[in-house]
Amino acid sequence: EAFAKGFHDAFDSDLLHLFRPEELELLICGSPSFDFEDLEDSTEYDDGYTETSEVVLWFWEVAHKMSLEEKKKFLMFATGTDRVPIRGLGYLQLKISRQGSDSERLPTAHTCFCHLLLPEYSSKEKLEKKLLLAIKHSEGFGTL
């Protein structure tokens, strides 16, 4: 009963009848489709990276083979939420920028801007290790 009251307090009851249950679920939970092909197609590059840069190609190879849980963690790391936008990942507007030459630094992100800062790692294996380490231990503002 408390849930129903809170739900109706947050959403105008007069408008709820306009939606089917699956549409409400989509609005509240986001899209269930983690199509990283769409994300790759819509991503922009900066600071020396292009869609054909070796590190960028390695990044997408690693990203495409991530498990669903790792993809959710990556989205949380890069965007601040693990939910897919209603219209899909193609509408996310991710930007990947070069963050210096090869180093032991982990990738970082500006979540408010969907901006991933990726060092120019010397191998795909190093990129994968550093990226997975970063997303695994990311806690945002310590609210998780």
Side-chain angles (χ1 to χ4, degrees), residues 1-140:
E1 189 176 308
F3 175 80
K5 182 185 179 327
F7 184 84
H8 288 286
D9 286 348
F11 296 98
D12 186 347
S13 299
D14 295 334
L15 297 177
L16 286 178
H17 75 280
L18 298 174
F19 297 99
R20 296 185 318 240
E22 56 273 7
E23 291 172 324
L24 280 176
E25 180 183 18
L26 186 62
L27 285 170
I28 294 168
C29 299
S31 173
S33 173
F34 281 78
D35 187 347
F36 270 42
E37 296 286 340
D38 282 349
L39 181 60
E40 180 179 2
D41 290 343
S42 67
T43 296
E44 297 179 5
Y45 305 95
D46 201 4
D47 296 327
Y49 281 157
T50 67
E51 63 186 30
T52 59
S53 297
E54 188 172 44
V55 171
V56 169
L57 296 173
W58 291 338
F59 167 80
W60 288 115
E61 285 179 35
V62 169
H64 289 301
K65 74 175 193 173
M66 287 179 179
S67 68
L68 178 60
E69 193 58 36
E70 289 170 332
K71 287 179 179 181
K72 286 181 177 184
K73 286 182 182 221
F74 171 76
L75 286 181
M76 178 62 82
F77 175 76
T79 71
T81 182
D82 64 354
R83 298 181 189 218
V84 175
I86 291 173
R87 294 197 269 175
L89 288 174
Y91 289 86
L92 199 56
Q93 299 178 339
L94 178 69
K95 180 182 278 191
I96 299 176
S97 294
R98 184 176 177 274
Q99 186 185 26
S101 59
D102 186 32
S103 71
E104 293 304 311
R105 295 177 61 176
L106 297 175
T108 57
H110 299 293
T111 56
C112 292
F113 302 104
C114 298
H115 191 174
L116 177 66
L117 303 167
L118 193 61
E120 194 169 7
Y121 294 116
S122 57
S123 71
K124 182 171 83 169
E125 294 74 24
K126 187 173 186 178
L127 182 150
E128 182 173 21
K129 178 182 173 186
K130 296 293 186 181
L131 179 63
L132 293 178
L133 185 64
I135 66 173
K136 180 180 179 184
H137 295 288
S138 174
E139 289 192 24

